[in-house]
Amino acid sequence: MAFADLHLHSRFSDGTYGPEELAEQARRYGLAAIALTDHDSVEGCPGTAQACEAAAIEFIPGIELTAEQLTEIARFQAVRQNRIREMVERLNRMSVPLSADAVFALANCRAPGRPHVARALVAAGLCQSLDEAFERFLKKNRPAWVPKFKMSGEKAIELIHQAGGVAVLAHPGLNRTDEVIPSMVEAGMDGIECFHTKHSTVTTERYLELANRFHLLVTGGSDCHGKNKGKPLIGTVKVPYQYVEKLKARAAEIKTATLSHASQ
Ligand SMILES: [Zn+2]
C-alpha cells in the first residue's frame, strides 16, 4: 500500500530541511508522495519538485496560509484594537476629543469595533445618539471610518482557488474553531486535515466523520519542521494514497473551472 505525507515544512519557512534532504527522508520512509506546505510561502516548491523527481517521489506543491481569524486570534484582536486607535486619531484630528482608552474601557472585550466607538462618543457627550455617531463619523466613507482588516478564511479559499489549488483547513483539532467550518464549506473549502501528529485517534475519527458529513476531502501529514524539535516527524503520519487521488481529481476540477473563468 502506498502512503503520503502532505504536511511538511522546509528551510524556506520555519523548517530545517532543504529540498534534497526532504526528498531523501521521504525516500527513506518509503513515502510515495509528499506535499511541501511552508507557511505563507511557495519558495521551496520548485527545488523540492526537482529533488523529488530525481528520487522518483511524487511531489505536490502546497502552502500553509495564515488566515487570521482562524488561527491567530490574538493577532487579529491586536489588529482590531489598532483600527480603534486609528479611528480615534481621525476623530481627534477633527477636534473630537475622544480617547482610545475610553473606547477600550467601554468595550471591555478583546475584539472592539465601531459600535464601541459610537457608544463612547455618546457617553462622552460628543454625539447625541449612536445613529449620529455613525452618520457623522463612522459609517463607510465617513471621515473616521477605517477599512477593516481582511484575510479571512473566505479570502484564503478564494486565493487558493485562483491559483488552481485545493483549499484545506489545517489541523482543526488544534484551532478550536470548529464553529467556522460550516461557513468555510459554504465559501468553497475543499477539505480538512484529519490526520495530524497532534490529533489523537478520537480527534481524527471526529474529523473523518465531519469530512463525511460535509462531503469534504481528507488530507493529513506530519507537520514536520525538520530536525529542530528532536526526531524528525516526516513519515510518522501516513496518509493512504487513495486520499491523494481524490485530492488530485479535485485540483483538476478547480483548474478547469479557473481556466474557463479566465477565458470568459
Ligand atoms: Zn504546518
Side-chain angles (χ1 to χ4, degrees):
M1 198 166 164
F3 292 98
D5 188 334
L6 302 174
H7 191 153
L8 299 167
H9 294 275
S10 76
R11 64 179 165 80
F12 290 96
S13 71
D14 52 352
T16 63
Y17 289 141
E20 281 76 23
E21 273 175 300
L22 267 176
E24 166 56 22
Q25 293 286 341
R27 196 195 52 75
R28 217 169 108 191
Y29 291 101
L31 296 169
I34 62 167
L36 182 63
T37 55
D38 276 324
H39 296 283
D40 304 315
S41 168
V42 289
E43 214 187 330
C45 286
T48 310
Q50 227 171 28
C52 281
E53 199 186 339
I57 287 157
E58 186 177 349
F59 176 70
I60 298 165
I63 187 166
E64 186 169 2
L65 281 181
T66 309
E68 307 280 347
Q69 279 104 319
L70 295 182
T71 56
E72 303 223 16
I73 289 167
R75 214 156 63 143
F76 187 60
Q77 288 162 351
V79 169
R80 290 184 75 101
Q81 286 163 11
N82 286 338
R83 183 174 178 238
I84 299 287
R85 286 196 188 91
E86 208 176 316
M87 284 191 267
V88 167
E89 255 170 53
R90 287 178 193 218
L91 286 165
N92 294 163
R93 267 182 254 140
M94 287 180 286
S95 309
V96 178
L98 189 73
S99 78
D101 284 342
V103 179
F104 294 137
L106 185 144
N108 193 26
C109 71
R110 289 190 191 154
R114 276 187 302 174
H116 299 116
V117 180
R119 278 167 54 197
L121 281 166
V122 174
L126 297 164
C127 286
Q128 298 293 313
S129 67
L130 298 179
D131 276 348
E132 187 198 333
F134 272 92
E135 283 300 326
R136 276 178 65 193
F137 303 118
L138 300 170
K139 253 172 74 169
K140 188 171 178 179
N141 298 327
R142 291 288 192 271
W145 176 73
V146 176
K148 206 171 168 184
F149 172 78
K150 266 208 200 106
M151 174 62 180
S152 60
E154 284 83 355
K155 183 73 195 165
I157 291 168
E158 193 188 318
L159 283 173
I160 291 165
H161 283 169
Q162 276 167 7
V166 176
V168 174
L169 182 64
H171 41 59
L174 308 185
N175 307 343
R176 297 177 195 286
T177 53
D178 281 7
E179 68 279 3
V180 305
I181 291 175
S183 65
M184 299 283 282
V185 172
E186 192 83 10
M189 182 170 77
D190 303 287
I192 47 174
E193 186 175 48
C194 296
F195 304 101
H196 186 272
T197 313
K198 290 186 176 160
H199 281 181
S200 67
T201 314
V202 175
T203 304
T204 300
E205 287 297 327
R206 183 153 56 93
Y207 288 112
L208 284 171
E209 214 177 271
L210 208 140
N212 191 34
R213 192 174 354 131
F214 287 101
H215 308 288
L216 292 168
L217 295 166
V218 170
T219 74
S222 63
D223 210 351
C224 176
H225 283 72
K227 290 171 288 194
N228 47 3
K229 289 167 194 162
K231 195 181 176 299
L233 293 168
I234 182 168
T236 55
V237 173
K238 289 185 166 177
V239 180
Y241 194 78
Q242 66 189 74
Y243 292 117
V244 181
E245 302 271 24
K246 288 181 184 160
L247 210 56
K248 283 159 70 176
R250 175 63 59 87
E253 278 170 28
I254 291 166
K255 267 176 202 142
T256 310
T258 310
L259 284 177
S260 71
H261 192 79
S263 67
Q264 270 165 20

